[in-house]
Amino acid sequence: MRKALIRRGRRWLYVVHRWIGIATCLLFAMWFISGLVMMYVAFPRLTDGERLAALPVIPWNKVQVAPDRAMAIAGAEHYPRDLRLLMMDDVPVYRVTGWKGAAVTISAIDGRVVDGVTPDQALAIAAHHPHAVRPQLLDTVTRDQWSVTARFDPLRPLYLIGLGDADGTELYVSARSGEIALDTTRRERIWNWLGSIPHWIYPTVLRKDGPLWRNVVLWISGVCLVVAVTGFWIGILRLRLTRRYADGGVSPYRGWMAWHHIAGLIGGIFVLTWMFSGWLSLNPGGAFSGRGIAREIATGYSGHDAPDIVARLQSPPSVPAVEARFVWIGGHPLMVLDDRSGRRRLADPATGAPVRLSQDEIVAAARGAMPGAAMTSARQLDEPDAYWYTLHQVRELPVLRIGFDDPAHTWLHISPVTAEILDRSDDSRRSYRWLFNALHSLDFPLLLRIWPARDVVVWLLSVVGTVVSVSGIVIGWRRLRRRKVRSPRSARAVANPARAP
């Protein structure tokens, strides 16, 4: 009985792997090849550096409306998520963003609420971009391949403007607020059709429905994970290292089947962990905590929840700035100034005088961010470590890491220059770092320290994975062809039993 169950179980193991593998082997090959492209060309996004480089310097003599007045016009009842002053072409404006995501743009000249911009205004905004040669309106876009995600919803519709430069740069400017929402280059647009779009199963028609896309990808990657598990299991069952097969080989297979078997064993653990981590990237069941700074942490760190910063700007800063963000930190009203190169400074919002908070002041403000927890550590990182490093995004160094004894063991990473909270981490996010980032992108500290070790390892393992996938495609195609050829013969035999061999 036991042997019969084992034989039946093995048969189903082979059947499941064979037929689901035939259905999914093209997906595996696509994922391995597109993953290599993604190492060098990311999906288009507007970085802070790109956004700041496209802004004119603020002429402070034009700023007639103070931050407090702007918040009152926006209807802010509490300290907002974001309050910044910048230029919209030749007009200084405040952008006030609430904690529920609603944003209001207000003229800093007369307090008028900006609720739309014309195509000519959008072209004028685009003309400040450093790559602008001959800006031209290409289209008015509601949603396309590069602006498909929901984070662009508050900015839609978008003016698509070509800059006329050699890189084929295109800008997306919000028709509501005049913000530059996104930029893409010809290189990004071409390579992403071989990279992120197939890798993430990202066609616009599917991705525009976020929940549907997430469920589709979860199920597809889950099914492919079953293929990887059953394939590795079969590979081990068919491997003979000591009591070898009659011809002295460790595998009973020849040709493409042998390639599939041996490559699957060599890269099997990588394929398994890579598929598993890719599945986890969608956070099934909400297993991992979210990103971002919660309102409670930001408010506690600010030491102030009233909607006020300064009632009157007495004098401009002594340094040119393209953006000023107004914040409270530890009870101090402050202004974070960014220049076009991305350099940041702190200043007094009323007088414009430079300000620098000491590390003790920053640590004291951090205590207020987690009022129900005790601080367990506070240290400055001068070099990258396993949890703070540059790969998927640029990380500021040095940085202060402050830990707490709350149930989630929260860490706050804080800039010692501007005293801003750059990132929040907890046990859940740190687990995600190893279960997704490390297993999927292979950003282990040792590989990151020794360039180009990570690239070499990823390439080698991806080649092995591609061999497994391509051999699976060939094997599956041959099996389907044999069944196709056999079926007509079987049908003729049934129709003419006397002529059957």
Side-chain angles (χ1 to χ4, degrees):
M1 180 68 177
R2 183 171 175 270
K3 288 184 178 180
L5 288 174
I6 292 174
R7 282 197 300 270
R8 181 172 296 179
R10 282 197 178 188
R11 173 172 173 75
W12 277 107
L13 182 68
Y14 282 84
V15 168
V16 167
H17 180 72
R18 177 185 302 150
W19 294 110
I20 300 182
I22 287 174
T24 59
C25 53
L26 282 171
L27 285 171
F28 276 94
M30 175 191 74
W31 279 327
F32 284 115
I33 295 169
S34 60
L36 290 174
V37 175
M38 290 174 67
M39 288 176 63
Y40 306 103
V41 184
F43 194 77
R45 67 185 183 93
L46 185 70
T47 66
D48 258 356
E50 292 167 338
R51 183 179 62 81
L52 293 171
L55 294 174
V57 173
I58 299 170
W60 291 91
N61 61 320
K62 284 188 172 185
V63 179
Q64 302 300 314
V65 175
D68 289 2
R69 178 62 182 150
M71 283 190 285
I73 295 169
E77 297 180 358
H78 300 282
Y79 182 58
R81 177 191 290 272
D82 191 46
L83 170 63
R84 60 185 67 205
L85 173 71
L86 65 161
M87 298 298 291
M88 189 180 75
D89 185 23
D90 59 350
V91 177
V93 295
Y94 288 99
R95 301 204 195 277
V96 187
T97 305
W99 286 97
K100 293 184 179 179
V104 181
T105 300
I106 298 160
S107 167
I109 296 176
D110 56 16
R112 175 180 55 89
V113 174
V114 177
D115 56 4
V117 299
T118 66
D120 287 341
Q121 288 175 308
L123 286 170
I125 291 166
H128 294 283
H129 195 282
H131 294 167
V133 176
R134 195 168 44 256
Q136 180 181 2
L137 182 65
L138 303 178
D139 199 1
T140 301
V141 174
T142 301
R143 190 187 308 268
D144 69 0
Q145 184 64 64
W146 317 115
S147 62
V148 67
T149 56
R151 65 190 178 90
F152 295 105
D153 287 352
L155 305 174
R156 303 185 199 280
L158 304 166
Y159 293 121
L160 179 60
I161 298 173
L163 298 185
D165 62 329
D167 293 332
T169 305
E170 295 178 358
L171 295 187
Y172 291 73
V173 178
S174 171
R176 291 188 182 182
S177 65
E179 294 178 68
I180 296 178
L182 178 66
D183 66 349
T184 70
T185 63
R186 185 183 301 109
R187 175 176 176 269
E188 289 175 330
R189 294 190 295 272
I190 291 173
W191 280 106
N192 266 277
W193 285 103
L194 301 175
S196 298
I197 295 172
H199 195 84
W200 294 338
I201 312 179
Y202 226 60
T204 306
V205 67
L206 176 62
R207 185 59 185 89
K208 67 181 181 180
D209 187 333
L212 174 63
W213 168 80
R214 183 175 178 277
N215 286 328
V216 167
V217 177
L218 267 174
W219 277 100
I220 289 176
S221 56
V223 169
C224 289
L225 183 59
V226 171
V227 174
V229 171
T230 54
F232 192 56
W233 191 352
I234 291 170
I236 293 173
L237 290 176
R238 302 295 284 165
L239 181 68
R240 290 187 183 178
L241 295 177
T242 53
R243 189 171 58 88
R244 301 198 173 190
Y245 291 95
D247 62 354
V250 297
S251 172
Y253 305 114
R254 293 293 175 270
W256 283 103
M257 283 291 291
W259 279 101
H260 192 69
H261 184 204
I262 300 304
L265 286 170
I266 293 172
I269 295 296
F270 164 67
V271 174
L272 277 173
T273 57
W274 189 76
M275 283 302 308
F276 175 67
S277 58
W279 183 69
L280 283 183
S281 69
L282 293 160
N283 197 11
F288 300 99
S289 60
R291 296 186 178 94
I293 310 300
R295 177 179 176 177
E296 294 76 15
I297 291 177
T299 302
Y301 185 66
S302 72
H304 184 82
D305 192 31
D308 65 80
I309 294 287
V310 62
R312 186 169 67 89
L313 301 173
Q314 299 170 18
S315 58
S318 58
V319 295
V322 297
E323 184 173 83
R325 285 174 295 118
F326 298 92
V327 296
W328 281 86
I329 296 176
H332 301 284
L334 296 167
M335 179 167 57
V336 183
L337 300 173
D338 290 85
D339 65 19
R340 190 169 267 177
S341 68
R343 184 179 177 186
R344 290 179 173 168
R345 303 172 179 86
L346 275 181
D348 184 291
T351 66
V355 174
R356 184 171 182 86
L357 295 184
S358 68
Q359 185 166 319
D360 288 342
E361 289 175 300
I362 295 173
V363 170
R367 292 182 191 276
M370 301 287 293
M375 186 180 296
T376 58
S377 63
R379 66 189 184 98
Q380 178 170 300
L381 299 180
D382 296 310
E383 296 180 351
D385 72 354
Y387 298 100
W388 191 260
Y389 58 96
T390 293
L391 179 65
H392 309 292
Q393 57 182 314
V394 176
R395 300 285 199 180
E396 179 179 329
L397 283 170
V399 69
L400 300 178
R401 175 182 289 162
I402 301 178
F404 298 88
D405 70 351
D406 61 305
H409 300 106
T410 298
W411 290 353
L412 298 180
H413 290 99
I414 301 175
S415 167
V417 177
T418 64
E420 298 172 278
I421 299 178
L422 304 175
D423 180 65
R424 176 193 60 83
S425 175
D426 58 20
D427 285 340
S428 179
R429 296 308 305 175
R430 291 189 288 274
S431 297
Y432 184 83
R433 180 261 180 275
W434 293 109
L435 292 174
F436 171 64
N437 295 110
L439 296 182
H440 206 72
S441 302
L442 300 186
D443 49 5
F444 294 97
L446 179 62
L447 295 180
L448 292 175
R449 281 198 297 269
I450 307 172
W451 188 88
R454 175 181 169 272
D455 289 46
V456 171
V457 171
V458 172
W459 269 92
L460 289 174
L461 291 174
S462 295
V463 167
V464 172
T466 303
V467 169
V468 176
S469 307
V470 171
S471 59
I473 292 171
V474 174
I475 294 165
W477 173 249
R478 287 177 174 176
R479 177 169 288 277
L480 290 175
R481 285 190 64 189
R482 284 201 301 270
R483 287 180 65 86
K484 187 177 180 181
V485 169
R486 193 181 302 126
S487 294
R489 290 178 179 175
S490 301
R492 286 195 298 271
V494 171
N496 303 287
R499 296 178 58 186

